[in-house]
Structures are given as C-alpha cells and as structure tokens.
Amino acid sequence: MAFVKLFSSLLLVAVLSWYRLEAFPGSGLDPEFYQFSCPQANEIVMTVLENAIVKDPRIAASLLRLHFHDCFALGCDASVLLDDSKNVVSEKNSKPNKNSLRGFEVIDEIKAKMEQVCPHTVSCADIVALAARDSTVLSGGPHWEVPLGRRDSTKASLSESNRNIPAPNSTIQTLIAKFSRQGLDEQDLVALSGAHTIGLARCATFRQRLYNQNGKNQPDVTLERNYYNDLKSSCPKVGGDNNVSPLDVSSPVRFDNTYFKLLLSGKGLLSSDEVLFAGNEQKAAELVRTYADDEDRFFHQFADSMIKMGKINVLTGSKGEIRKNCRRLN
Ligand code: HEM
Ligand SMILES: *[C@@H]1O[C@H](CO)[C@@H](O)[C@H](O)[C@H]1NC(C)=O
C-alpha cells in the first residue's frame, strides 16, 4: 500500500513537472515555482515594497529599472546586485549604473525577510523580477503573473553592462539593435520604454539635447519650446549634473500612457525617448501613436514584454545558485 502511494505521488510529480515545462516552453520558469517551498514569497515582496514606496516614492521606478539592467547583462540572474569583491568586478560601476542605479537596500530588505521565512529558497533574481512587477502595479500599471524559478549567477559582467544597455543618446537604429540582441523586437522596445512613465533622470543624461545635439551647439529640434526652456533652468550647460527631472513631466509617479502622449508633442525627456517617435522609423512611431491612443493596448503589451524580458538567459535547474546575500556569492 505504501508502495502504491509512493508510486502514485511520484507519478503526480512527474506529470506536474511535465505540465510545467509544457506550459512555459523554453524558459523552464513557472509562476507557481514557490507554491510549496515558499508560498509567502509574493506577499513578502509586496509588503516590503508598500512600505518602501511610502518612504521614497521614487523607489518603484528604481526597482523597475533594476530588473532591466539585470536582464541586459548576462541575463536575469541578479548579476547586477553583486558588489565588488576578490572574484567579482561589479556591474554597479558601469557607465549606465554608476551614481544612477538604485534600490539595492530594498532588495536586501526583501531578501532578509525571505531568508527568515523560507531559508535558502527564493533567488535574488526572482526577487528583482517580482519587485519590478509590484512596482508597476503599485504605481497604477498592469499586473502580470511573474514566471519564477530563476537562479542567481556566480559572476557579474561589467563589460556586458557597458556594452548592452543602450545610452540615452542612442539612435533609434542602435536601440533596435541592442534590444534585438536580447531577443526583443521593436514592439518590446517601444512598450518597455513606456517604463519611463515613472521615475527621474539626471541632467547629465539629457544635457547634450539641450545644448549640443549632434555636435552642432544647437538644441535638439524635436524638443518642444516651453519644455526646453523649463529643462534649461534645471539643467545648466555647466554643472548640476545630478539635478533630476521627471521622465514623464505630466504624471511623474503614475504608471499610465501619458509618456507616449508626451512623445507626440516633443516632450520626451531623453533623446532615446523622443527618437521612438521622431527618429524616422515608421513602425516605432506608429506604435507610439497606438499606445498614446489606447492605454489598454500599452498595458497588455508592457506586461507581455516584461515577461519576455524576464526570460533573457535565465539560469534554471542546477545552474547558478540561490544566494544567501544578494550582494555576494555563497
Ligand atoms: C530603450 C532604452 C533605454 C534607455 C536609453 C534608458 C535610459 C535611461 C536613463 C538615462 C535614465 C536616467 C538615469 C539617471 O539619470 O541616472 C533612465 C531611467 C529609468 N529607466 Fe530607462 N532606459 C531605457 C529603457 C528602459 C527600460 C526597458 C526600462 C524598464 C522596463 C526602463 C526603466 C527606467 C526607469 C523606471 C527609470 C527611472 C529610474 C529612477 O527614477 O530611479 N528604462 N533610463
Ligand atoms: C553620446 O554621449 C557620449 C557621452 O556620454 C559621447 O561620448 C557620444 O559621442 C555621444 N554620442 C552621440 C551620437 O552623440
């Protein structure tokens, strides 16, 4: 009898794992991955985040960006969280990350709670993916089920972080190429750029647009006049590198589709934002118009593209490790 019971539960496990692989072909991830090993995982992330956002409303934007910067260097494997050490050259010092990427302390706080409740079970990479989703939801954006089961890297790549994450003065062709290299298409590029509906950017990242676009000592002609004048007052030609401006000037902490409406009227903050509409790439411009007209379409595509981005080069099975501390290797 005991044997029959054992056999049937083994069979059940086999069927379940087969079903899981079939339901999410290719990635090996599954939203129910912690269903038995840590059913509290989702709730822990949400609870810490709710409190963190009260203390610092910008943290939602910062955590959404953190997932993007993690996924574009080596894959979504929490490589971005590793500090410098004997065996690690941290991605935190890359050009796009240095003095810019935020949210590490909140990830630490979530991980510490996670280790109390379910020791050595939930990866840092999954925490980052869940935090990005919850940040979107708490800002008023769409909800999606986050496929889980990522494991953490045993290395970082400063060079990939520098090479793969596009610069704010990238041309539309460069943006398309850098996303394409990660398996993301133009639709993903435009929808994911909609993350700039929340958060802030430093003067240093858009100064070139105000004073010296294309090395011509002229402002970017696509900038709307009044917006340009406002930006100049907070971002002088010299100094003020760390002065910040909202990426979405009309609703800076609300996740909505106004980002796309702003692009239609020359009020995208970064050059990489405005070129989606004004970069002479018809398909991207058409998508900007679509999302500006139809917030539902944007929300659905954003969710789909976040799930797709979240599967870039994930480590599963026995690859990588489950870090005890997100900042260092076990
Ligand atoms: C398409 C290429 C992209 C470029 C060139 C780009 C560039 C930038 C830059 C320069 C900043 C300001 C950083 C600073 O001033 O320190 C920024 C902020 C931000 N980015 Fe992007 N980004 C891109 C795509 C994305 C994607 C795909 C996401 C997420 C899905 C994202 C989410 C964010 C968020 C939420 C912020 C605000 C962060 C905060 O306030 O802490 N970005 N981005
Ligand atoms: C983009 O900005 C970097 C400095 O941040 C500069 O070296 C590079 O020349 C700029 N590229 C373009 C196309 O303007």
Side-chain angles (χ1 to χ4, degrees):
M1 200 56 202
F3 175 75
V4 172
K5 242 182 172 169
L6 176 67
F7 181 77
S8 51
S9 47
L10 279 177
L11 191 69
L12 184 68
V13 167
V15 167
L16 276 178
S17 48
W18 171 81
Y19 168 78
R20 280 181 181 181
L21 291 175
E22 285 306 296
F24 296 89
S27 73
L29 303 178
D30 172 0
E32 303 299 328
F33 187 83
Y34 299 112
Q35 184 177 21
F36 303 113
S37 59
C38 192
Q40 308 91 329
N42 282 26
E43 197 188 309
I44 292 171
V45 176
M46 185 52 109
T47 308
V48 173
L49 222 60
E50 279 168 346
N51 292 316
I53 290 175
V54 171
K55 277 186 246 159
D56 172 14
R58 187 184 177 187
I59 210 69
S62 305
L63 290 169
L64 181 51
R65 184 171 185 233
L66 187 61
H67 187 39
F68 163 49
H69 285 210
D70 182 28
C71 294
F72 269 52
L74 295 178
C76 315
D77 58 0
S79 57
V80 73
L81 302 179
L82 292 171
D83 284 340
D84 268 324
S85 70
K86 211 175 83 199
N87 301 311
V88 171
V89 180
S90 178
E91 292 170 18
K92 293 177 184 180
N93 294 317
S94 71
K95 183 130 199 284
N97 291 346
K98 198 178 166 116
N99 295 324
S100 178
L101 207 58
R102 309 170 75 247
F104 301 110
E105 293 77 14
V106 178
I107 298 294
D108 289 340
E109 196 184 332
I110 296 170
K111 179 63 174 176
K113 290 252 159 63
M114 214 62 99
E115 289 301 299
Q116 278 170 10
V117 180
C118 330
H120 206 221
T121 302
V122 180
S123 68
C124 299
D126 279 343
I127 290 173
V128 171
L130 285 168
R133 191 274 313 273
D134 289 346
S135 293
T136 303
V137 171
L138 291 171
S139 304
H143 179 277
W144 62 93
E145 295 295 329
V146 181
L148 298 168
R150 295 168 190 80
R151 290 168 63 85
D152 300 325
S153 73
T154 51
K155 59 184 181 185
S157 177
L158 179 64
S159 59
E160 282 204 13
S161 183
N162 276 318
R163 205 174 339 118
N164 296 354
I165 299 168
N169 62 356
S170 301
T171 61
I172 181 72
Q173 286 77 20
T174 301
L175 294 174
I176 292 171
K178 295 212 165 176
F179 272 63
S180 172
R181 232 170 283 156
Q182 304 289 343
L184 300 173
D185 60 25
E186 226 169 307
Q187 189 160 250
D188 301 313
L189 165 66
V190 176
L192 290 172
S193 294
H196 290 175
T197 176
I198 55 174
L200 308 173
R202 289 166 306 135
C203 167
T205 67
F206 59 87
R207 172 180 286 123
Q208 189 191 356
R209 287 193 83 195
L210 305 182
Y211 305 104
N212 191 22
Q213 185 74 352
N214 306 321
K216 286 182 188 153
N217 274 313
Q218 299 278 325
D220 185 337
V221 293
T222 61
L223 263 171
E224 192 271 337
R225 195 80 205 169
N226 293 320
Y227 183 52
Y228 161 69
N229 286 325
D230 290 346
L231 289 176
K232 274 202 305 187
S233 65
S234 64
C235 185
K237 197 164 185 175
V238 178
D241 278 18
N242 296 321
N243 295 354
V244 286
S245 297
L247 285 154
D248 170 348
V249 69
S250 59
S251 58
V253 295
R254 178 137 198 99
F255 196 105
D256 56 19
N257 70 336
T258 52
Y259 166 80
F260 296 103
K261 294 182 183 167
L262 290 168
L263 296 185
L264 299 183
S265 55
K267 294 177 190 161
L269 180 60
L270 307 177
S271 179
S272 58
D273 295 318
E274 203 56 62
V275 295
L276 298 174
F277 182 65
N280 283 322
E281 169 58 30
Q282 287 318 305
K283 192 169 170 203
E286 199 48 53
L287 287 163
V288 169
R289 264 192 222 98
T290 302
Y291 300 145
D293 284 349
D294 187 344
E295 186 168 81
D296 246 32
R297 284 278 291 274
F298 165 49
F299 277 18
H300 278 108
Q301 188 56 50
F302 186 79
D304 286 352
S305 295
M306 284 295 286
I307 291 172
K308 195 168 162 191
M309 182 178 84
K311 291 179 178 174
I312 296 171
N313 271 332
V314 290
L315 301 170
T316 56
S318 59
K319 294 188 193 127
E321 61 182 23
I322 305 293
R323 273 180 228 149
K324 294 197 182 80
N325 178 328
C326 293
R327 292 175 183 266
R328 38 181 187 269
L329 307 180
N330 288 343

